[in-house]
Amino acid sequence: MALFQAIPLRRAWYALVLLASLLPALALAPWLSDQAHHLLLDRAMLRELLAHQQLEMHIYLETKRLVSVLQNKSDPIAFLLQQGHQDARIRSLLSKIDAREKVINTTTIYDTAAHLLMSNREQGHVIAPIDRQSPAFVIAMHQRVFIGSPARLGDGHYEFVIAVPLIADGQTMGVMVSTININKFWRYIKSMLPKHEARTYLVDGRGTLLIHQEASRLQQGALLSDKAIVRALLAHKDWHRSDSYRGFEGEAVFGIGTHVRNLQWGLISEIPASSIISPIVSVLVTLILIVVVIHLLFGLGALLFSDRMLRPISNLAAVMQRAAGGDYHPQIPASR
């Protein structure tokens, strides 16, 4: 109690005002920083999720477009097969497919017994092995389109096949099979979208890496199913978690995993944790400084207001102290 009695009223009041100004800032800063951290992290993940949706949509639409191109050429080819002895004209149509679609490496025509009739292919590429038991042949013979899983063919490239039936007058005349170079396919898809910093991976239904990544320690064809995010995709579950994990390149990352409709592929984006945390820390520091400065300014304003209120009382106390010693001459200036 003696300590409090020894503190002048003005100093005690000033200390109380400053304490009342800073305590809310100190109490709110951790809560505000936690809320801002989650908000900024969610914004970064949402931005990546939107990029995924664009990628997934372009992959789906581009695949559908390739199917449409092959189906458009299948009708005249089926008609020519029905007429017989039209090899030159059929090869001309196959050449047009090759000239128009740079992602197609080979296009091959099979008869109803899975015998190869003719093929058009780029130099250095081989056709997909097809026989009567191949799903590409069996499904197409039932007048349905088949889109296969990517695989490494004899030319060393990862490719997937699209098989369409050749139908004339309701009768299946054969099957047309095209192999799609997935590296060219991926680069074309990426060229249509704005660039972003995240590393993006494409895996198949077995967790195999389908595309070649620049500046990556992973090779095309690497099995990535040891990662939880890949296993989630293999279980047909998207991955939208907001906690970090050890990524494919060995660093802490935040990840997004999305299924590609109808293809059983998986899209994975990994964002280095440092590229998200650094901006978040910068924003949090700025936010906390703003809160503290605002409360300090409020405290200073309160001090000035308190000083104006306490000055008449201090002057009165000084006059009374002198009067107690017998000096009655000082006067108090007028005050509101």
Side-chain angles (χ1 to χ4, degrees), residues 96-137:
K96 289 180 179 179
I97 296 175
D98 181 63
R100 175 179 172 178
E101 304 297 337
K102 299 302 181 183
V103 299
I104 295 180
N105 285 342
T106 68
T107 301
T108 309
I109 305 295
Y110 296 90
D111 65 12
T112 55
H115 296 146
L116 190 152
L117 297 179
M118 64 192 70
S119 176
N120 189 78
R121 57 184 177 178
E122 289 190 7
Q123 186 176 3
H125 292 283
V126 299
I127 63 175
I130 298 293
D131 56 34
R132 297 190 66 172
Q133 283 72 45
S134 299
F137 180 80

Side-chain angles (χ1 to χ4, degrees), residues 193-235:
L193 297 173
K195 296 184 66 174
H196 63 292
E197 299 302 321
R199 300 189 186 100
T200 308
Y201 304 85
L202 187 65
V203 297
D204 65 9
R206 297 185 297 273
T208 302
L209 179 63
L210 298 178
I211 55 175
H212 173 69
Q213 290 284 341
E214 296 181 0
S216 172
R217 64 185 183 86
L218 298 174
Q219 298 294 323
Q220 190 176 23
L223 190 63
L224 306 179
S225 56
D226 60 321
K227 295 295 183 182
I229 188 171
V230 177
R231 292 197 297 271
L233 292 176
L234 297 183

